[in-house]
Amino acid sequence: RQVSKSTHPTPNTQHPPNTQSPKQESDSKTPTSNNRGDQGCLQLGRMVNPYSMKWLCLPHGFYTFLPTLLATLGWFATLTEDGCNYAILEGAMVTEITTNPDLPFLEVGLNRYREASLKDDDTWEIDYNQLCKYYNEDIVNIDGVWKFSKMMSFLALVFAGAAVLLIWFSMCFIFSPNTCKWVGWELLTATVFKSLSYSWLATSMCRNNSCSISYGAKADIVACVTWFIAGVLVLLRYPSPKQPANPSPNTNATSSEPSTVEMPNIT
């Protein structure tokens, strides 16, 4: 018996040649987004942690620049104080603190003081090259108003520092409306605390002598104004976040969705 051979043709397992030109091939690897800033932030986020939150450049638009800049300026204004340049003290307390009857005034602060120096033209000026000195509590009465003012100043730095740190994250992460409210109320709370720190001018040392504001108090005024404006801007408007660029067909669509920074609802 003769065995007939199969007449079915064998399938061609070879792949067709790649007819795509080098230019088209390079174009297909290029991200479809035209926003190179977003792609740069996304790549930076993957470099830091590929499984963490995805980054975006200015997801809430340029509106967030203004409150961020104002809050940061107020924070740096408070950091420029050296602790002994809050006010100028004149009166009998100057002699009691320094035991020098010739000194006409001192530059005082919440924690320390600085003595004036006599110049060649017989004028008294503050030499900022001199180190600040701590108060002698046996002579200076650190009363309750003084302690309250120091506590308010410290709390203002804490709340403002947390708000400034958090608002800078809005440059790369999407914030929920509740998170923006947290930032705004922190800035306004810092403004209230810093305003209450001016109660230091009502201490017994200033009541019995003459105290006029100096650089430190003026820097605190700048901080209060900038924090208040920044807090109002944050609370008045929630800038809608922009959506990230459409992912390429070869990537997982859910991998490019940005995470949202969510805080508890405080309303």
Side-chain angles (χ1 to χ4, degrees), residues 68-80:
T68 302
L69 179 62
L70 291 174
T72 306
L73 287 177
W75 172 253
F76 279 114
T78 59
L79 294 182
T80 56

Side-chain angles (χ1 to χ4, degrees), residues 33-45 55-59 171-172 242 245:
S33 172
N34 293 327
N35 193 338
R36 298 184 181 273
D38 289 351
Q39 294 296 331
C41 284
L42 288 170
Q43 292 175 5
L44 179 59
W55 290 16
L56 289 174
C57 282
L58 296 177
M171 298 289 101
C172 290
K242 62 183 180 180

Side-chain angles (χ1 to χ4, degrees), residues 39-187:
Q39 294 296 331
C41 284
L42 288 170
Q43 292 175 5
L44 179 59
R46 296 190 186 99
M47 290 171 58
V48 175
N49 188 352
Y51 305 102
S52 64
M53 294 187 297
K54 301 298 183 293
W55 290 16
L56 289 174
C57 282
L58 296 177
H60 294 279
F62 286 96
Y63 179 81
T64 54
F65 257 131
L66 183 57
T68 302
L69 179 62
L70 291 174
T72 306
L73 287 177
W75 172 253
F76 279 114
T78 59
L79 294 182
T80 56
E81 305 175 30
D82 59 2
C84 57
N85 58 354
Y86 194 81
I88 299 296
L89 175 67
E90 297 176 306
M93 182 60 69
V94 175
T95 303
E96 295 181 15
I97 293 176
T98 62
T99 65
N100 185 357
D102 297 330
L103 282 176
F105 61 89
L106 290 176
E107 191 174 47
V108 293
L110 275 66
N111 299 303
R112 295 171 294 176
Y113 69 92
R114 182 185 285 114
E115 298 180 0
S117 299
L118 183 63
K119 301 299 180 182
D120 296 336
D121 54 356
D122 295 335
T123 59
W124 293 89
E125 294 181 359
I126 297 296
D127 185 7
Y128 290 98
N129 292 323
Q130 293 184 5
L131 297 177
C132 298
K133 299 179 181 179
Y134 287 94
Y135 294 105
N136 185 355
E137 296 188 8
D138 295 333
I139 299 174
V140 180
N141 180 21
I142 309 296
D143 55 9
V145 178
W146 196 316
K147 296 177 181 178
F148 174 79
S149 176
K150 292 174 64 175
M151 181 177 62
M152 291 298 101
S153 181
F154 172 75
L155 290 177
L157 291 178
V158 172
F159 276 84
V164 170
L165 179 63
L166 191 59
I167 198 173
W168 268 105
F169 279 104
S170 67
M171 298 289 101
C172 290
F173 296 111
I174 293 178
F175 276 20
S176 67
N178 291 335
T179 306
C180 289
K181 290 180 181 179
W182 270 86
V183 175
W185 285 115
E186 279 185 328
L187 290 172

Side-chain angles (χ1 to χ4, degrees), residues 243-264:
Q243 297 298 325
N246 295 328
S248 60
N250 296 329
T251 58
N252 189 2
T254 60
S255 62
S256 61
E257 294 180 359
S259 301
T260 302
V261 180
E262 178 71 33
M263 298 291 284

